[in-house]
Amino acid sequence: MADLTAAIPDTLTAPTDAVGDMAVVSVVDQSGWIVLIEIDADSGMIRIARNGVRAPDGFYSGKVSRYGTFDSSISVPADLVRINDATCEIIDTDGSLRTLFVPKTIKRRPIRWLAGREGTPRVSFQRIFSGEISNVEFPPGLVRIQARSYVFDFYKQEVIPLLNRDNFPDLPDNPTGDFVPIILGIVSAATGAVRCHLVDTVTNSWIVARHPCESVDEVWIKEPSDTAFWLASDLNYTITGRSLNGSTSTEITYGLTLDEGTEIRANVTGMVADEAWGGVDLTNFADVLLAIVRTFGAIYDLDHFNLASFETVKTQTAADSLICAGAIVSKCTVGQVVTDLIKSSGIHLYNDNWDRIAVAYTS
Amino acid sequence: MGLPAYLVTNLLDANATLTPGTEDSSYPVENLYGLVAANRYRSLSLLSLSVLVDLGSSKAANTIALINHNATSGATITVKAGGSSPPSTVVATLSWRQYDIWADLGSQTARYWLLEISDSNTVALSLGQLVLGTRVALPESFRRGRKPSVKTNNIALETEAGVRYVYPRYKRNQPGYVFRVRTSGDLASMRTWYNATNGEVTPFVFLEDVSLSGMLYCRMQADWDPAELSAKKDSYDVPVNLVEESRGLELT
C-alpha cells in the first residue's frame, strides 16, 4: 500500500517549513508576518508565539491563543501620546506559566510584542508594542495578560526637584523653594522673570537653573526693607555653577551682604548645549521635547524614539521661526511639562507603528 | 501489509541521563523528551549530532523514532545499544525520510543507547523528539477505513471590490481512521490506546503500517469513548482522528 502518512515535503509553496503559522498577512506584498511576545519575568525571559518558533536566542513556545489588539492615535488638537492597553491570551493547560508566576507576581514586568516577515532573521524583527503587565487573569487553561504601554510611565515621572541639602549642603534652614528651575530660551520680565533661591549661605549663592545658561542678563533684588525690585549692578555678582545631577548649575554669587528675607529674580537666556541634555542647543521645541522625555521620562533607549520625525519637526518649526522659551519653576510631572510644550507649539506626540515616540507638526 | 501501531511511553525522560556530543545552550538536549516537537535539541555542528542515553538500567525497546529532524537526504543515521558506555553494537541504520523517521529495532534490551547522525548540512543539526520504547500493535481487524487528509489552513480576506484573497498559513497531516470494534478484546485495545495518550493530552508516534516507513507524531484530535458491546449491538465503528504536531518555524 502507499505510504499515505508521508511527511509533507518542504518543496510545497510557502510557508516552506510546513506546519508553520503566521499571525498576520500583508495583503500588499503577499507575505506573512510572525508576531512574537517576550516577557521579562524574574525567572527569566518567557518567549511565546502563536506557533513554535525557533530563533537563535531561544524557542518561542506556541502558546499564544490570541494576540489581542491595541490602538494608537494622533490627538487633535495636539496632546500626549494616545495608546490603549494591549492584551494577549496564552494557553496554559500544562500550568507552566502559573508555576512561574506563583513565587513572584508577573505584574509590572516588562512585556513586548515583536513583528517580522517570514524568512527574515530574528534580529530584523521590530517592536510593535512594549510596556508593563498591568493585569493578569487565570481562566481555566489560560493566562490573560493586559499590558500598559511604556509611554504612560514617562507621563507619571516627576521632574526631580533637586533643591535639597544633599545637593546644597549650605542650604538655609528655611529654603524658599524646593525646585531648581529649568530655563529654555529667553525668559524675561520687567523686574526679573525667574525667582532665584538662596542655596549657599556661606558663599551667598542663589540658584538660577539646574543647567548651564547662555547668560544671566539681569538680576533684580528686593530686600525686606525695599518696596520694589531694583536692578543689581553686575559688578556685585558673579555667575558660578556646581556639579548638579550630571550637569552644571547656574548660580548668582552675590558679593555684598543681603538682609534675611531678600528676594532675587533674574532675566535669563536659558540652557546651552549640554551633554546631560543631549548636547543640543535647546531652543527648538522638537529638541526640548526629546530632552525632557529622555532626561526625566526615564526612557533612555534611543530606539524608543523616531528620531527622524524629531529632525523633520525641528526643520519645520525652525522654518516657521517657532522658538521655545519658558521656564519650569515648580514641581511637576513630565506629562504636565510635555503637555504644555505641545499645546504651545502645535506639535503632535504619538506612538508610531514600531512603538516609538514620534512627533508631527502642522504649521 | 503490516499492522498499525502506536508508541506513547518514551524511555527517555527526566530519569534518563542524556549526553550530547555538542549542545546549543538555547536548545538543550532535554528538549528531546519535552513532548514539543517544534522545540528541538540543537547540536553546534553542521556535520554531526550524537546523543548518548543512559537509561539507568537495562530496558527493552523495539522502536526508535526521530521526530522533526533537519538532516539532509545524504545523512547517515545509526543507533547503537549495549551494556557499556558508549555502546558499540549497531542495532539500526535508519533510512532517511524528511522530518520524521522511525526504525524497528527488533528486540533490544540495553542500558546505553547512542544516536549518531553524520551529515553535510548548511545549518546546525537538530532534532525535535527522540522516542525510544516498545510500540503497541493494534489488531488488524480494527482498521477498516482511512481518510487521508493534508489540511491547509488559510486566511481568507477580501481585497478591493470584494476580491477574495487567500493566504496559506500552514499545512499538516490530519488523517481520520475508522476502527471496527467486534470483541471485548478489541474494545480493551482501543481503551488502552486512549488511556495511554490521556485522550488528546499526550502526543505519540503513530505507525499506520509497521511494514512501511510512514509515521506521524500526532495527538488524538477529539475525545472518543467506545460504547460497551451488547447483545443487540455486536459491533460498531469508532472514528479516530489524528492531528500532526506542529514542526514550528525557523528563524535565523
Side-chain angles (χ1 to χ4, degrees), chain B residues 59-174:
Chain B
K59 292 182 181 174
N62 64 6
T63 304
I64 190 165
L66 280 60
I67 314 297
N68 196 21
H69 69 83
N70 71 339
T72 66
S73 58
T76 303
I77 306 167
T78 58
V79 179
K80 295 175 181 173
S84 58
S85 177
S88 56
T89 305
V90 176
V91 294
T93 300
L94 281 66
S95 299
W96 181 88
R97 179 174 176 275
Q98 192 174 40
Y99 300 131
D100 306 326
I101 308 171
W102 79 277
D104 184 350
L105 301 174
S107 179
Q108 299 292 333
T109 301
R111 171 177 173 175
Y112 297 100
W113 301 77
L114 178 61
L115 169 69
E116 292 178 318
I117 302 176
S118 300
D119 199 1
S120 299
N121 214 319
T122 55
V123 294
L125 285 164
S126 58
L127 175 61
Q129 294 289 288
L130 179 60
V131 183
L132 177 67
T134 303
R135 65 180 181 272
V136 178
L138 295 168
E140 176 73 19
S141 59
F142 279 2
R143 195 160 170 278
R144 274 200 61 223
R146 178 184 185 278
K147 181 181 70 178
S149 169
V150 176
K151 183 176 180 182
T152 299
N153 192 306
N154 299 322
I155 292 175
L157 299 169
E158 286 184 356
T159 59
E160 64 275 12
V163 176
R164 194 167 166 81
Y165 179 92
V166 180
Y167 190 88
R169 295 169 75 206
Y170 58 81
K171 300 173 192 291
R172 66 178 163 211
N173 284 305
Q174 206 163 307

Side-chain angles (χ1 to χ4, degrees), chain A residues 210-212 242-249 271 274-277:
Chain A
R210 62 178 64 195
H211 47 75
R242 72 181 73 196
S243 177
L244 182 62
N245 197 37
S247 183
T248 304
S249 66
M271 187 184 293
D274 182 18
E275 282 307 316
W277 294 72

Side-chain angles (χ1 to χ4, degrees), chain A residues 1-32 34 36 50-61 117-123 125, chain B residues 1 24 26-27 31 36-40 42 68 97-100 126 143 146 148 150-151 155 157-159 165 167-173 175 177 206-209 212-216 244-252:
Chain A
M1 69 178 274
D3 185 4
L4 294 173
T5 54
I8 302 165
D10 64 0
T11 51
L12 293 178
T13 54
T16 52
D17 189 354
V19 203
D21 188 2
M22 273 66 64
V24 191
V25 170
S26 166
V27 176
V28 177
D29 55 16
Q30 301 189 8
S31 69
I34 299 167
L36 310 171
R50 178 73 177 85
N51 193 75
V53 177
R54 292 180 296 277
D57 51 346
F59 180 69
Y60 292 80
S61 297
R117 291 168 192 268
E118 290 178 78
T120 57
R122 163 68 185 82
V123 291
F125 277 50
Chain B
M1 181 176 165
D24 180 337
S26 295
Y27 294 90
N31 287 351
V36 181
N39 191 11
R40 288 171 169 164
R42 184 180 286 170
N68 196 21
R97 179 174 176 275
Q98 192 174 40
Y99 300 131
D100 306 326
S126 58
R143 195 160 170 278
R146 178 184 185 278
V150 176
K151 183 176 180 182
I155 292 175
L157 299 169
E158 286 184 356
T159 59
Y165 179 92
Y167 190 88
R169 295 169 75 206
Y170 58 81
K171 300 173 192 291
R172 66 178 163 211
N173 284 305
Y177 298 87
F206 181 71
L207 312 171
E208 186 183 276
D209 183 336
L212 298 174
S213 64
M215 62 162 287
L216 283 179
E244 187 180 23
E245 284 287 281
S246 169
R247 286 193 284 273
L249 294 166
E250 188 89 37
L251 296 178
T252 56

Side-chain angles (χ1 to χ4, degrees), chain A residues 227-250:
Chain A
T227 54
F229 281 89
W230 46 271
L231 184 63
S233 165
D234 58 6
L235 297 175
N236 293 330
Y237 63 85
T238 54
I239 304 303
T240 57
R242 72 181 73 196
S243 177
L244 182 62
N245 197 37
S247 183
T248 304
S249 66
T250 300

Side-chain angles (χ1 to χ4, degrees), chain A residues 308-329:
Chain A
S309 75
F310 280 87
E311 283 302 314
T312 302
V313 167
K314 187 176 175 179
T315 306
Q316 291 170 333
T317 52
D320 279 0
S321 302
L322 202 64
I323 294 170
C324 182
I328 304 166
V329 296

